[in-house]
Amino acid sequence: MNTNIKSLWQTYEAYFPIGTAVNATTIHTHKDLLVKHFNSLTAENEMKFGEVHPAENSYYFEKADSIAEFALKNNMKLRGHTLLWHGQTSDWVFKNGNGTKVSREVLLKRLEDHINTVVGRYKDRIYCWDVVNEAIEDKSSHFFRQTEWLDILGEDFIEKAFQLAHKADPKAMLFYNDYNACYPEKRDKIYQLVRNLKEREIPIHGIGLQGHFNIYTPTLEEIKQAIDKYASLGIKLQITELDVSVYEFEDHRSLKMPTHEMIDKQADFYGKFFELLKEYKEVINGVTFWGPSDDVTWLNDFPVYNRQNWPLLFDNQHQPKEAYWRIVQ
Ligand code: GLA
């Protein structure tokens, strides 16, 4: 690792914490990079329902704890991710012993046990939680994504989750987190959801814009409009899962190297995006990358399996890329 370069988190200290997703392996393999450049961590998978609560009466915290300890030891903030999501949630949650669908009462009780146990465990460590992840439908066909949570609990499942999380840790900041949050159609639905929760005094304190972008979309203008609209609700915003793919979503080519154009466009995007974020430092209180460096990004397997992508600020050897220089200058 290049140790003489400027630290990211120190560069942005006057604006917002700079975070990254980590896992129980990268806290070892990427330790130097993490300690130097990041002052906030999110567990990439280790705190999700399916990971910590694989069966009704069994919780598994070894990996999540190792991340929490690493954050504490290195003086980093810790975000909690995530309490209620359609993904990575084990089947048992929605089923009775005989395989039939559970009642609303049973599912609410399970959600409550889960939230009390997980939020309670990290009460003194985690300062904010992504309480509900990705509950809004992308397409115009529905308002909510059609999930088992919605099906069994009904439309108040979101407020229930926020109320339970608030009860479990009244000090934690509670976020609604989603992707494509800057495209007008989904943006307006997220806005409507959060406005409605706020109006009814449900404890929600922020919106997480995941920020799985690519070098072509969304535009800076779309991002700015989304920030303005959400900020008008009087809540905080965080970029929670930032990466900037060099491929458009439909582009399934596998290049050996990114083209010069890709590298320039990516650096340009990151540079302008961070300029914009700085302008909104009163409302943005965290920016988290979804991984420390290109060797460990989930985009190396999505949407094309086993294809190298280069979405982050540090390369496979943990060296700074053009995009890094653009945002520290
Ligand atoms: C979503 C989830 C994250 C992660 C990414 C892909 O954005 O919120 O937890 O699973 O997908 O890695």
Side-chain angles (χ1 to χ4, degrees), residues 159-285:
E159 64 198 67
K160 291 281 180 226
F162 277 93
Q163 285 162 335
L164 290 169
H166 185 61
K167 218 166 107 209
D169 183 359
K171 293 190 308 305
M173 293 191 62
L174 305 180
F175 278 70
Y176 173 76
N177 193 49
D178 216 327
Y179 65 90
N180 284 356
C182 298
Y183 296 134
E185 192 174 10
K186 195 162 173 188
R187 174 198 72 198
D188 290 352
K189 288 202 252 179
I190 296 172
Y191 170 84
Q192 206 180 314
L193 168 76
V194 176
R195 192 179 71 182
N196 180 276
L197 294 172
K198 289 275 293 172
E199 276 168 6
R200 292 181 302 111
E201 295 182 13
I202 306 298
I204 176 167
H205 312 109
I207 300 177
L209 288 70
Q210 290 186 359
H212 293 299
F213 300 141
N214 67 57
I215 56 177
Y216 306 98
T217 67
T219 64
L220 259 300
E221 192 47 36
E222 284 169 325
I223 298 173
K224 186 173 156 31
Q225 283 171 8
I227 294 176
D228 281 333
K229 180 143 196 176
Y230 295 138
S232 73
L233 293 166
I235 49 162
K236 293 293 180 190
L237 302 179
Q238 293 200 3
I239 311 301
T240 53
E241 306 184 18
L242 180 59
D243 44 32
V244 182
S245 169
V246 301
Y247 295 108
E248 271 179 296
F249 196 75
E250 296 72 24
D251 183 350
H252 286 192
R253 285 176 301 159
S254 295
L255 300 182
K256 292 259 171 304
M257 297 283 287
T259 64
H260 289 299
E261 193 200 344
M262 286 169 167
I263 293 169
D264 287 348
K265 266 195 176 339
Q266 186 183 58
D268 204 47
F269 181 93
Y270 269 117
K272 291 186 174 139
F273 181 52
F274 271 76
E275 278 311 307
L276 180 70
L277 295 176
K278 279 157 75 174
E279 285 171 30
Y280 283 90
K281 68 170 181 160
E282 304 308 329
V283 59
I284 291 170
N285 70 351

Side-chain angles (χ1 to χ4, degrees), residues 43-45 48 81-82 85 88 130 133-134 177-179 210 212 241 243 290 298-299 302:
E44 188 173 9
N45 292 299
K48 291 174 179 170
H81 177 80
T82 177
W85 187 31
Q88 293 177 266
D130 292 330
N133 199 31
E134 303 178 349
N177 193 49
D178 216 327
Y179 65 90
Q210 290 186 359
H212 293 299
E241 306 184 18
D243 44 32
W290 206 243
W298 72 297
L299 291 172
F302 181 86

Side-chain angles (χ1 to χ4, degrees), residues 137-185:
E137 173 57 53
D138 288 80
K139 299 181 221 84
S140 54
S141 50
H142 293 98
F143 187 85
F144 291 114
R145 181 191 290 271
Q146 305 298 295
T147 66
E148 284 166 297
W149 291 110
L150 174 68
D151 177 37
I152 299 171
L153 295 183
E155 291 190 357
D156 64 352
F157 74 101
I158 297 183
E159 64 198 67
K160 291 281 180 226
F162 277 93
Q163 285 162 335
L164 290 169
H166 185 61
K167 218 166 107 209
D169 183 359
K171 293 190 308 305
M173 293 191 62
L174 305 180
F175 278 70
Y176 173 76
N177 193 49
D178 216 327
Y179 65 90
N180 284 356
C182 298
Y183 296 134
E185 192 174 10

Side-chain angles (χ1 to χ4, degrees), residues 107-122:
L107 186 54
L108 272 180
K109 181 76 182 72
R110 286 180 178 175
L111 181 64
E112 181 172 11
D113 288 345
H114 177 78
I115 289 181
N116 282 343
T117 307
V118 181
V119 175
R121 187 179 185 91
Y122 298 109

